[in-house]
Amino acid sequence: MRYNGLPTHLTSSDMSLQERIYQQFTDSIQTKHDALECLPDSIELAAQTVVQSLLNNGKVLTCGNGGSAGDAQHFSSEMLNRFERERPSLPAIALSTDTSTLTSIANDYSYDDVFSKQIRALGQSGDILLAYTTSGNSKNIVSAVNMAHDRGMSVIVVTGKDGGTIAAENLLQQGDIELRVPSQSTARIQEVHLVITHCLCDLIDFQLFG
């Protein structure tokens, strides 16, 4: 018997489902361990880069697509509100939150331009672009990186897999930073992206407020 096209009973045993849960946790832990082996120096440098920008009256513009948009918004909300301590608000703007702007740019021009046109208007020399892309191939992120350079901004990209177009075409310039998670799984990459985001927030607060 089916309800709305779905079976009314499970064909997998409870043990098989438990095993899948165990595997998800195990894979996540392993990916975090692998990232811990290669990313701490780059995460530290990224946090220092953001702090230097903030001390010079700069701001952070963040962007991403899908789950990566959620990561970008997560970072900006922790900056604007607070992370784990009471402290002054810090300037950050998530470029994926204004649906009127996003849809007008996508409709009138191209979805590839939804972030770069905002960066052209809002970005200034000394600001930071913090871009999240699990593949490194998103065309609107590539455009955003190029526009950030045009505006004299430093770029921090949080990626995975082989770094995609951003790595293959050597889009990053001196002073830019790539935080690449060593995994081929989008889910595992995004889980580590969250840890990286929290590391950045913690290190920024620690350097600015002790």
Side-chain angles (χ1 to χ4, degrees), residues 81-185:
N81 184 28
R82 66 171 186 174
F83 181 50
E84 290 188 325
R85 68 175 72 193
E86 294 295 334
R87 46 95 164 140
S89 297
L90 300 173
I93 302 172
L95 303 179
S96 56
T97 58
D98 184 345
T99 54
S100 295
T101 295
L102 292 172
T103 53
S104 68
I105 296 172
N107 183 66
D108 295 348
Y109 295 93
S110 166
Y111 189 69
D112 296 349
D113 299 326
V114 293
F115 301 134
S116 61
K117 285 183 72 67
Q118 294 184 75
I119 292 168
R120 178 182 294 166
L122 301 172
Q124 297 179 331
S125 179
D127 288 346
I128 303 290
L129 173 65
L130 176 60
Y132 291 82
T133 167
T134 58
S135 68
N137 293 321
S138 302
K139 292 181 179 179
N140 55 12
I141 299 296
V142 170
S143 295
V145 169
N146 290 329
M147 181 58 68
H149 289 150
D150 288 346
R151 299 296 292 163
M153 300 169 60
S154 296
V155 175
I156 301 169
V157 290
V158 190
T159 67
K161 301 181 180 179
D162 62 358
T165 301
I166 291 174
E169 297 187 3
N170 297 314
L171 297 184
L172 299 186
Q173 299 180 355
Q174 184 175 2
D176 293 342
I177 301 163
E178 181 186 13
L179 305 175
R180 187 190 304 175
V181 177
S183 174
Q184 296 299 312
S185 166

Side-chain angles (χ1 to χ4, degrees), residues 10-18:
L10 293 176
T11 57
S12 300
S13 69
D14 290 341
M15 180 58 68
S16 139
L17 295 178
Q18 291 288 319

Side-chain angles (χ1 to χ4, degrees), residues 23-33 188 191-192:
Q23 191 62 54
Q24 290 284 318
F25 273 83
T26 301
D27 290 347
S28 183
I29 291 166
Q30 183 60 53
T31 304
K32 291 181 175 70
H33 176 78
R188 301 291 85 82
E191 288 159 5
V192 179

